[in-house]
Amino acid sequence: MLITDVRPWGGEPCDIEIKDGVIAAITPHDPARTVTGDTVAGRGRLALPSFSDVHCHLDSTRIGLPFRPHTGKPGVWGMTMNDRAHWREDEWTVAQRATYTLGRMIERGTTRVRSYAQIDADCGLERFEGVLAAKEAHAGRCEVEIMAFPQAGLFKEKGVPELMDQALASGAAVVGGIDPCTLDRDPVRHLDVVFGLAERHRAPIDIHLHEPGALGVFSVDLILERVRALGMAGQVTLSHAYELGTVDEATTRRLTEEFAELDIAMATIAPAQQQHALPLAGLTAAGVRVGLGEDGQRDFWSPYGNGDMLDRTWQLAFTNRYRADELIEHCVAVATRGGHSILQGGPERLTSVADRPGVFVGDAGDLLLVEGETVASAVMDRSDDRTVLHAGRVVADGLELVG
Ligand SMILES: [Zn+2]
């Protein structure tokens, strides 16, 4: 497979050869080259690593369905109950909705996903099975890690840890946890169950943390204690954690250092209150893996999220108030290679805001070709002229799935 006339990270025009799903050679573009076999015409577009969405909820998406007015009540419990009251009324099944949205994500340049699947006393494994069906429908186009996620807590209702265990035995690859203090109001027991499931299933952990300031730090310290005791460095991601920058400076410095030391990864969704979070560039400079996700996608929680990670990359730059090209490009690095480094078997972490990995010999043949003068301008313009490759094969072209 040969991709002709593309500009890796906006550099000089090149031809990229892919063998066995991996970039085998990158050479200056030669218009006179005789080509045999599969080719993709780059037409001078940018070549970037494809996106990795490390935090989406495919089990709750309503993309493709009629827009519905927002009826959510404030707070995690209010929103969870709003979702519970309505999700069965959806015009499509969970499998249909998740499959449609995942296809849309692939068409726009995402080839790796960590999706939450809600597990609770109301839905049992029904939503998990819907996400599993979407994963199977798009196998060969996208890698999907499913997280068993106790959205309504582990102990507020009966039987949830057992359902989590069943999901993990049936294809869920990641153990989720959520707000150990504010939701279950029993942080030690909550985290002991989460880490116990992770040990039993040899699965990584992803904790959804909305808790404010000092309370969030308290939960994080309980998590760090368990990572140390169980030797689980490199196995834990914190999602959201968007209030950890609101405590005193010494604490935020300590947390950043401990995250780097224990290789705790961070998944951001580029929230409006980005200034309350640990600073993105500071995390990267310390060696903390950071990835980007869309969170909900036009669902009962929020009307935001459209399946386009290039849009969410713009949002990451915007909420960080970035203007310099280097920092906007760093957002692309986070949304692509940064997220990939969080998923199982992913590459090394980014090393600095100037790091531009993912389009070199030996890298995965997972690429997004997109029209743009420079990488920063591509984030601002977000062209529809895109071609998406997964494992060296074209899986989408012109915002349509291929094959
Ligand atoms: Zn979420």
Side-chain angles (χ1 to χ4, degrees):
M1 143 75 77
L2 187 75
I3 308 167
T4 60
D5 189 20
V6 283
R7 292 175 295 126
W9 281 106
E12 294 300 310
C14 289
D15 299 330
I16 299 179
E17 215 175 308
I18 302 181
K19 271 188 194 147
D20 301 325
V22 174
I23 298 176
I26 302 179
T27 49
H29 173 52
D30 175 6
R33 180 172 187 149
T34 43
V35 180
T36 52
D38 284 352
T39 58
V40 176
R43 296 184 278 103
R45 288 176 292 174
L46 304 170
L48 301 169
S50 62
F51 292 111
S52 291
D53 185 325
V54 295
H55 180 156
C56 66
H57 297 254
L58 285 174
D59 62 336
S60 66
T61 173
R62 279 185 52 86
I63 292 178
L65 294 176
F67 192 83
R68 99 182 258 296
H70 182 66
T71 51
K73 307 278 184 304
V76 170
W77 190 251
M79 298 289 266
T80 303
M81 288 304 115
N82 175 58
D83 176 274
R84 182 178 287 187
H86 297 293
W87 72 273
R88 288 179 201 277
E89 299 161 6
D90 277 326
E91 297 86 332
W92 294 348
T93 63
V94 176
Q96 287 172 315
R97 289 185 282 122
T99 302
Y100 182 83
T101 294
L102 182 56
R104 192 179 160 99
M105 293 167 75
I106 296 164
E107 288 165 353
R108 283 154 182 76
T110 299
T111 65
R112 294 186 197 87
V113 169
R114 177 178 283 183
S115 174
Y116 288 56
Q118 183 165 330
I119 308 283
D120 67 26
D122 167 65
C123 68
L125 300 190
E126 196 177 333
R127 295 169 71 139
F128 161 71
E129 282 158 3
V131 179
L132 200 57
K135 172 185 166 139
E136 280 159 15
H138 291 293
R141 297 195 186 102
C142 183
E143 285 161 36
V144 178
E145 275 182 12
I146 306 176
M147 184 197 315
F149 181 53
Q151 176 76 67
L154 287 169
F155 312 121
K156 289 175 82 74
E157 300 169 306
K158 281 201 177 8
V160 180
E162 293 75 13
L163 288 166
M164 292 278 290
D165 194 53
Q166 280 176 37
L168 288 156
S170 313
V174 183
V175 187
I178 177 168
D179 296 336
C181 294
T182 54
L183 194 56
D184 274 328
R185 293 174 168 269
D186 193 344
V188 167
R189 191 160 154 242
H190 182 97
L191 291 172
D192 284 349
V193 167
V194 167
F195 278 81
L197 286 166
E199 268 200 302
R200 183 166 141 77
H201 293 278
R202 298 185 181 283
I205 290 170
D206 197 321
I207 309 262
H208 211 275
L209 193 71
H210 311 95
E211 291 169 353
L215 192 61
V217 174
F218 176 77
S219 287
V220 168
D221 279 333
L222 291 177
I223 293 165
L224 296 177
E225 186 180 278
R226 281 156 183 73
V227 171
R228 278 187 204 285
L230 299 170
M232 285 191 66
Q235 295 293 305
V236 176
T237 302
L238 297 179
S239 272
H240 294 312
Y242 42 49
E243 297 283 330
L244 296 182
T246 59
V247 292
D248 62 283
E249 213 182 306
T251 305
T252 55
R253 198 178 326 113
R254 172 181 70 78
L255 288 178
T256 304
E257 286 167 8
E258 287 197 69
F259 290 173
E261 181 209 336
L262 295 172
D263 195 8
I264 305 289
M266 303 287 284
T268 179
I269 61 156
Q273 65 276 45
Q274 178 63 43
Q275 69 277 12
H276 295 172
L278 296 176
L280 177 65
L283 287 168
T284 302
V288 177
R289 288 178 293 152
V290 185
L292 180 66
E294 269 204 300
D295 206 8
Q297 296 155 313
R298 187 189 270 216
D299 57 16
F300 292 108
W301 289 67
S302 133
Y304 294 91
N306 60 2
D308 191 340
M309 279 288 284
L310 190 52
D311 280 3
R312 190 51 60 113
T313 304
W314 176 92
Q315 186 173 316
L316 184 63
F318 183 76
T319 53
N320 276 285
R321 302 177 183 182
Y322 287 163
R323 294 182 184 200
D325 295 59
E326 179 185 69
L327 293 171
I328 292 164
E329 284 199 33
H330 178 54
C331 293
V332 177
V334 166
T336 58
R337 186 70 167 228
H340 188 190
S341 76
I342 290 177
L343 304 178
Q344 292 176 59
E348 290 297 298
R349 29 187 146 173
L350 295 170
T351 51
S352 84
V353 296
D355 210 355
R356 302 284 175 266
V359 194
F360 292 101
V361 170
D363 288 328
D366 279 49
L367 297 170
L368 168 64
L369 315 183
V370 58
E371 200 269 319
E373 289 169 75
T374 69
V375 175
S377 82
V379 174
M380 296 305 133
D381 296 340
R382 302 188 296 289
S383 167
D384 287 347
D385 186 355
R386 306 182 199 183
T387 303
V388 185
L389 290 94
H390 173 54
R393 205 171 64 80
V394 174
V395 293
D397 191 44
L399 305 192
E400 302 239 354
L401 294 177
V402 171

